[in-house]
Amino acid sequence: MQFSVRDLVNEDATRISRRCWSDPRVYELEKRGIFGRSWLFLGHESQIPRAGDFVQAYMCETPVILARGEDGAIHASVNSCTHRGLPVCRADHGNTKRFVCPYHSWSYRVDGSLATIPQENTLRNKPDKSALGLQRVPRVESWRGMIFGSFDPDIVALEDYLGDMRFYLDAFFQRFPEGVEFLGAPHRWVIDANWKLPVENQLGDVNHGPFLHAALISREIQERIEELGHSVVTAPGHGATFRLMPEDTPWQEVAWGMEGLGGQLGGQEVQDWLREVQARAAQRVGPLRARMKGLTYGIYPNLSFLWSNTAFKVSHPRGPGRVEYWSWAVVPAGAPDTVKRALRTNYSSFFGPGGIIEQEDSEAWSQQYRGASIDFTDDHALYYGLGLGEEAPHPELPGLVSVTANEFYARNFFARWRDELQAVEEGA
Amino acid sequence: MSELSVQTTPQEQRELERFYFHEARLLDNRQFQQWLALLSEDVAYIVPSRVNTQVDNRQRGREEMLSVERELEGADSMGAPLREENLFHLALRVERAYKMNAWADNPPARTRRIIGNIELLQRDAQQWRVLNNFHLYYARPGSANCLYSGQRRDTLSRDDGGFRLCRREVILDYADIDKPTVGLLF
Ligand code: FES
Ligand SMILES: [Fe+2]
């Protein structure tokens, strides 16, 4: 059946066709129109501190090696040999001088350049090795240690792409003088769902909390969220949700880290540490952002930051109906190891593949994909209209701001998504 | 972990089997509250994550090169274990199980655990260190069925009332986590 992307998302993005999540043709357009043209998160500098360090990453379905070269610079290369296409790197992370391809042992430096072709010794015509390195990701930039790559050589600078999201990200990052650290290899969870639903969930869907998670999130917690919660869209597709706590709030109720079980059960050492961070927060990030108690953030297209439980996540598509959902536990780099170990459980107890809360989310995401694949529902688009037009500028917070029940974050996401898909559909 | 299991009497081996089979039956019958009563108050319940590590050239030709331990990010590592829990976490999971809104388990999954290879590694007056393997078949309505496979590294204490679980480390045999959850009571 023929359709145009314009027909899938209406003008104000209040009605969205189920095909957006389930149609293979839409997925092919997404690869080119979104994943080929956006800044995509690759990893954090704390994962590759020394020359030769590498981690694996993905840009949509494209496997990428992110590495620090001998020169100290960061390089991103597609993990596929120029000879016959095998992956040249098999470990999740490590340190090396060379990636050696299993098939015929071509070897590559960590910056992706081709070092040796064993077969050439016996041949008269020597190939030009300088032209045969791994395919480079043409743009790689980082901000606050967060490394992104793009396949679009002409994309705007990363800082401009992030725009006012930097104000909200800094409310977290700048709390810690030594920055943050990503721990270990990411948890890679394969879920039968479309990649956009986890993204939407983290972009601003605070409102499913007391319902989907009623077994664990009490009505009182949710009422506090509704009372103090703000939802912000800095640019279509980017969003932040947080609580702005009253000025006289006791430190335990506003401090980052105290919301999870790691902070609560972590004992004196952990709590003293968190209290100290909060005591310096106003000085470090200003009085307004010191009162911010984060919930979730989204960076277009598929990076999420769960501030309340301190995990970064990427929703890597694997076809319309599958996602490889990566998540990292993130801790302050300057904390003692005992504190880091306690705080990493803020994430893992509730979120990630073993988390008590996120098992409900992943189930909801799988079921939504089924709902989006039901026959005879083409003329019954999903409703995205809650709170239409209720967002407004705010005197102190950049972006458009509203209560958390307003679904403008999702409408903005899908309006951008539609326009970008339409651009490739029309060959722009 | 290359040591031979200690010599056990048939009676001791039967006691261990009785404990583990009973535990498996409680979990498969969804009698999680009774399962909680098998835990010691200071129980530690850990599920390391499992990483694809780089082969270390210097270990070539030796068994260390392929050791399972190198793949694990456990409680003592500075990596990211999948789960690090105590009685509070486990009680929360059990509490959730009997709430109306535990949607991922509504309707509840059907499970069957097979426990085997029970080896007593070490024992003193208070504590027994026991290895055992499990296959856990899991069928969640509306979701693909799957099999969990793994090893449990347990520490049990023994008193008049029988065994109590003091520590369990679950080594899951996964490459990708293509399961609906690893938040089960393994
Ligand atoms: S495929 Fe890589 S060397 Fe031949
Ligand atoms: Fe959720």
Side-chain angles (χ1 to χ4, degrees):
Chain A
M1 189 180 136
Q2 279 302 314
F3 61 88
S4 155
V5 173
R6 204 177 320 115
D7 307 326
L8 300 181
V9 179
N10 71 350
E11 183 54 34
D12 58 11
T14 53
R15 297 303 296 255
I16 302 184
S17 164
R18 296 168 193 239
R19 284 179 181 272
C20 294
W21 291 274
S22 56
D23 196 296
R25 215 194 100 197
V26 168
Y27 181 63
E28 288 310 311
L29 289 173
E30 284 178 331
K31 280 190 175 179
R32 287 189 288 137
I34 291 169
F35 291 96
R37 295 183 176 187
S38 301
W39 280 110
L40 304 176
F41 180 70
L42 297 176
H44 190 265
E45 288 179 14
S46 62
Q47 298 174 282
I48 47 169
R50 295 159 305 151
D53 285 350
F54 67 88
V55 291
Q56 296 226 28
Y58 275 96
M59 297 171 73
C60 192
E61 295 197 62
T62 304
V64 167
I65 306 168
L66 180 68
R68 194 175 293 273
E70 296 299 323
D71 53 357
I74 292 166
H75 304 272
S77 325
V78 176
N79 186 10
S80 175
C81 179
T82 310
H83 185 221
R84 292 291 183 274
L86 274 73
V88 299
C89 171
R90 306 190 150 212
D92 291 337
H93 53 64
N95 182 282
T96 192
K97 283 201 169 0
R98 295 279 190 276
F99 296 112
V100 181
C101 180
Y103 208 178
H104 313 89
S105 274
W106 288 26
S107 74
Y108 299 86
R109 299 179 190 88
V110 286
D111 64 10
S113 60
L114 180 60
T116 58
I117 300 178
Q119 295 78 14
E120 74 176 347
N121 295 335
T122 59
L123 301 172
R124 275 192 308 278
N125 292 325
K126 310 286 180 199
D128 174 11
K129 289 205 280 290
S130 70
L132 297 175
L134 301 177
Q135 183 182 339
R136 278 165 193 279
V137 176
R139 291 283 296 278
V140 178
E141 291 178 18
S142 57
W143 178 78
R144 298 272 187 264
M146 304 281 289
I147 308 165
F148 291 73
S150 179
F151 285 120
D152 178 0
D154 303 319
I155 194 168
V156 296
L158 176 64
E159 295 210 9
D160 296 330
Y161 182 90
L162 296 173
D164 282 334
M165 278 309 288
R166 289 173 300 164
F167 172 88
Y168 296 102
L169 286 164
D170 266 345
F172 175 71
F173 286 137
Q174 295 290 77
R175 270 175 150 78
F176 315 110
E178 286 151 86
V180 302
E181 183 181 333
F182 280 45
L183 295 181
H187 295 159
R188 299 179 314 203
W189 190 8
V190 180
I191 305 171
D192 291 329
N194 181 272
W195 68 274
K196 294 187 290 301
L197 203 60
V199 165
E200 182 192 314
N201 177 285
Q202 295 289 297
L203 185 59
D205 189 351
V206 173
N207 306 293
H208 71 282
F211 308 110
L212 183 69
H213 303 299
L216 291 154
I217 297 180
S218 69
R219 191 61 223 171
E220 297 97 82
I221 294 178
Q222 183 63 19
E223 274 164 12
R224 273 305 257 180
I225 291 177
E226 282 167 12
E227 177 195 340
L228 302 166
H230 290 65
S231 183
V232 175
V233 169
T234 60
H238 295 334
T241 59
F242 51 87
R243 290 147 289 184
L244 214 44
M245 305 303 284
E247 274 170 37
D248 53 356
T249 307
W251 80 272
Q252 307 90 310
E253 286 171 37
V254 60
W256 164 79
M258 282 300 289
E259 198 160 20
L261 289 179
Q264 283 168 26
L265 306 175
Q268 202 59 42
E269 188 194 10
V270 174
Q271 295 187 5
D272 286 347
W273 205 86
L274 295 175
R275 180 185 202 141
E276 189 62 22
V277 170
Q278 188 57 30
R280 289 165 192 270
Q283 185 194 330
R284 295 194 53 83
V285 298
L288 177 73
R289 288 187 287 179
R291 291 191 286 119
M292 273 176 63
K293 188 175 178 183
L295 292 163
T296 61
Y297 287 7
I299 313 284
Y300 192 83
N302 64 340
L303 171 64
S304 307
F305 172 42
L306 177 63
W307 181 358
S308 52
N309 295 74
T310 325
F312 275 87
K313 304 153 157 223
V314 180
S315 181
H316 290 299
R318 294 290 181 268
R322 220 153 206 239
V323 60
E324 203 171 304
Y325 200 40
W326 286 28
S327 48
W328 291 266
V330 173
V331 295
D337 284 356
T338 46
V339 172
K340 288 179 185 168
R341 284 202 200 100
L343 290 179
R344 69 188 175 193
T345 66
N346 275 357
Y347 150 70
S348 60
S349 301
F350 283 140
F351 291 88
I356 305 179
I357 284 189
E358 209 161 39
Q359 56 184 320
E360 250 82 69
D361 293 291
S362 65
E363 167 71 4
W365 302 336
S366 301
Q367 297 300 338
Q368 187 268 4
Y369 176 69
R370 285 155 191 252
S373 313
I374 295 173
D375 293 333
F376 308 114
T377 54
D378 277 353
D379 58 356
H380 202 67
L382 302 183
Y383 182 68
Y384 273 67
L386 292 180
L388 183 65
E390 291 181 32
E391 60 275 14
H394 184 279
E396 293 175 292
L397 299 167
L400 290 173
V401 183
S402 191
V403 295
T404 55
N406 184 345
E407 293 180 335
F408 71 128
Y409 61 89
R411 286 189 292 278
N412 273 281
F413 176 95
F414 276 102
R416 177 171 179 173
W417 178 91
R418 172 196 61 209
D419 295 348
E420 292 186 350
L421 259 56
Q422 217 178 315
V424 283
E425 194 178 42
E426 290 162 5
Chain B
M1 207 154 293
S2 56
E3 69 251 59
L4 271 179
S5 56
V6 300
Q7 291 275 0
T8 50
T9 64
Q11 175 61 23
E12 286 168 331
Q13 192 70 21
R14 277 294 301 137
E15 272 183 66
L16 282 172
E17 273 187 13
R18 245 184 111 222
F19 173 75
Y20 281 122
F21 295 171
H22 173 60
E23 184 197 17
R25 176 157 48 87
L26 289 178
L27 291 171
D28 288 337
N29 288 346
R30 307 177 192 134
Q31 294 164 314
F32 306 123
Q33 292 165 344
Q34 294 180 57
W35 178 78
L36 268 187
L38 302 180
L39 309 182
S40 110
E41 265 175 38
D42 58 354
V43 66
Y45 191 101
I46 293 144
V47 184
S49 63
R50 221 160 163 171
V51 173
N52 300 315
T53 45
Q54 195 182 5
V55 176
D56 184 343
N57 251 325
R58 290 161 304 187
Q59 296 177 335
R60 255 185 311 186
R62 300 205 308 270
E63 288 182 350
E64 293 99 290
M65 188 182 103
L66 298 181
S67 92
V68 170
E69 308 313 307
R70 290 184 68 237
E71 298 175 359
L72 304 179
E73 290 184 3
D76 298 330
S77 78
M78 288 313 294
L82 289 168
R83 288 167 62 185
E84 297 172 274
E85 303 187 349
N86 60 26
L87 190 61
F88 183 89
H89 298 87
L90 296 167
L92 203 58
R93 289 186 187 277
V94 170
E95 201 182 308
R96 170 188 165 277
Y98 302 105
K99 294 222 172 140
M100 298 303 294
N101 309 72
W103 292 112
D105 292 290
N106 180 356
R110 289 104 213 219
T111 65
R112 196 63 61 198
R113 289 160 173 80
I114 306 294
I115 311 295
N117 303 57
I118 300 170
E119 288 189 274
L120 178 62
L121 279 193
Q122 199 183 50
R123 124 191 89 188
D124 58 34
Q126 275 83 43
Q127 298 211 309
W128 293 29
R129 206 151 66 75
V130 188
L131 292 182
N132 57 96
N133 294 346
F134 66 92
H135 271 192
L136 162 49
Y137 183 74
Y138 182 85
R140 184 196 281 183
S143 174
N145 301 345
C146 64
L147 179 71
Y148 296 83
S149 157
Q151 179 189 56
R152 305 189 299 190
R153 301 173 176 179
D154 291 345
T155 305
L156 307 177
S157 67
R158 198 157 78 131
D159 57 28
D160 305 339
F163 290 112
R164 254 168 218 288
L165 184 66
C166 305
R167 181 185 164 87
R168 170 164 290 168
E169 196 179 15
V170 182
I171 311 302
L172 281 178
D173 302 325
Y174 71 87
D176 293 314
I177 305 173
D178 52 357
K179 318 268 184 240
T181 176
V182 291
L184 305 178
L185 301 172
F186 295 110

